[in-house]
Every structure is written in C-alpha cells, then in structure tokens.
Amino acid sequence: MKEYFPKAVQVIPFNNYHIQIFFDDRKIVEYDLVGNRDLTKCITIDPFVLYELPEINS
C-alpha cells in the first residue's frame, strides 16, 4: 500500500502571521506562525504536521 505524502500546492500569508495551506487533495488548513517565527531565519514546517491540522474547508 502506498502512503500519501501531502503536497502543498499553494500558501497564502496574512498580515496576522497566519497562513492558509492548500494541499493537492483539496484539503485547506490554517497555521499560526506567531509562536514559531524568528525574524532572522526562515522556517521549515513538516508537511505531515501541517496536514494533520483541522481542515477549514469541511
């Protein structure tokens, strides 16, 4: 059996440090970057962690 690997196809940033992530299977989630941001570095977020967030388009 093949395991699904979530692929983000679009990310929309908002002024309040929230982002919406659109996945290739049409799932949409929202992530709050406030507690996870560092102005001097980029962040890398595991797609599996994001994919497990509650769906906002249900």
Side-chain angles (χ1 to χ4, degrees), residues 32-54:
D32 180 1
L33 294 166
V34 172
N36 299 303
R37 73 183 176 105
D38 181 343
L39 296 176
T40 63
K41 298 179 183 176
C42 292
I43 62 168
T44 302
I45 305 167
D46 184 342
F48 289 100
V49 171
L50 294 174
Y51 193 79
E52 293 301 318
L53 292 172

